[in-house]
Amino acid sequence: MGRPRNFDPDTVVERAMEAFWTHGYANTSPAQLAEATGVGKGSLYHAFGSKRALFDQALDRYDRLGAELAAEILSRPGSTRDCLATFLCGLVDSDLAQPVRRGCLAVNTAMELGGHDPEITRAVRAMQDRVIGALEARIDQGRRDGDVRAGADPRAAAEFLMNTIVGLRVMAKTYDASTLHRVIDTALTSL
């Protein structure tokens, strides 16, 4: 019989997510994961199987948190533009408030591993598709409510905004809030 775990797996995944988000997949060593999670390397790998398996769980957690945030903000009362501005500005402001400007874990992962790792490519695409779906639903609601122009294509607008989000998350590593908010204001004029 093995020893009982002396750690909460959800807390470990959360802390690992933070480490991967800050350093990237390849640049996060087993020693860094052990330090970040407070769990010895042997116990960490015994519980999660591998660095990649832990990363997959961290990415899943990031996806869940992002989907919950998008759903919560985009379902708020108010105009579609106001909800979208709150969502986009919140992402940017959160990026800028961090001690290390690390952008978005999904975008960083797409840049690091996408295109040559089919599983990661599919995972990041699914994450982006979920956000696109939430944006599309809100834009479609805005069209029905009359606060988005009647001729707007909700899917195309949502894809454009997803592209804007990805760009904002990269730009947040080097630009200031006023520039990023100006980009958001410009993007929302398309609605």
Side-chain angles (χ1 to χ4, degrees), residues 43-163:
S43 296
L44 200 59
Y45 285 97
H46 179 73
F48 294 96
S50 67
K51 175 181 167 180
R52 177 56 182 264
L54 181 55
F55 179 72
D56 290 344
Q57 287 190 38
L59 201 57
D60 286 344
R61 178 173 179 73
Y62 186 83
D63 180 28
R64 264 192 330 277
L65 294 172
E68 290 169 7
L69 177 69
E72 190 275 317
I73 292 173
L74 296 175
S75 66
R76 291 179 182 171
S79 75
T80 297
R81 278 189 184 92
D82 288 345
C83 288
L84 292 171
T86 298
F87 180 57
L88 273 62
C89 288
L91 295 174
V92 163
D93 293 343
S94 175
D95 286 347
L96 296 176
Q98 299 301 317
V100 174
R101 290 190 183 189
R102 56 190 183 174
C104 169
L105 178 59
V107 173
N108 297 346
T109 300
M111 297 298 294
E112 181 182 3
L113 302 171
H116 55 83
D117 183 319
E119 289 176 26
I120 288 295
T121 301
R122 279 190 297 278
V124 172
R125 172 71 185 265
M127 294 168 75
Q128 292 170 334
D129 285 343
R130 274 187 277 289
V131 175
I132 290 169
L135 293 168
E136 180 181 13
R138 182 60 200 221
I139 293 165
D140 192 43
Q141 176 188 333
R143 222 174 39 155
R144 290 189 313 274
D145 293 346
D147 64 18
V148 170
R149 60 183 175 78
D153 176 343
R155 182 67 183 190
E159 291 166 343
F160 172 75
L161 288 176
M162 185 70 232
N163 186 66

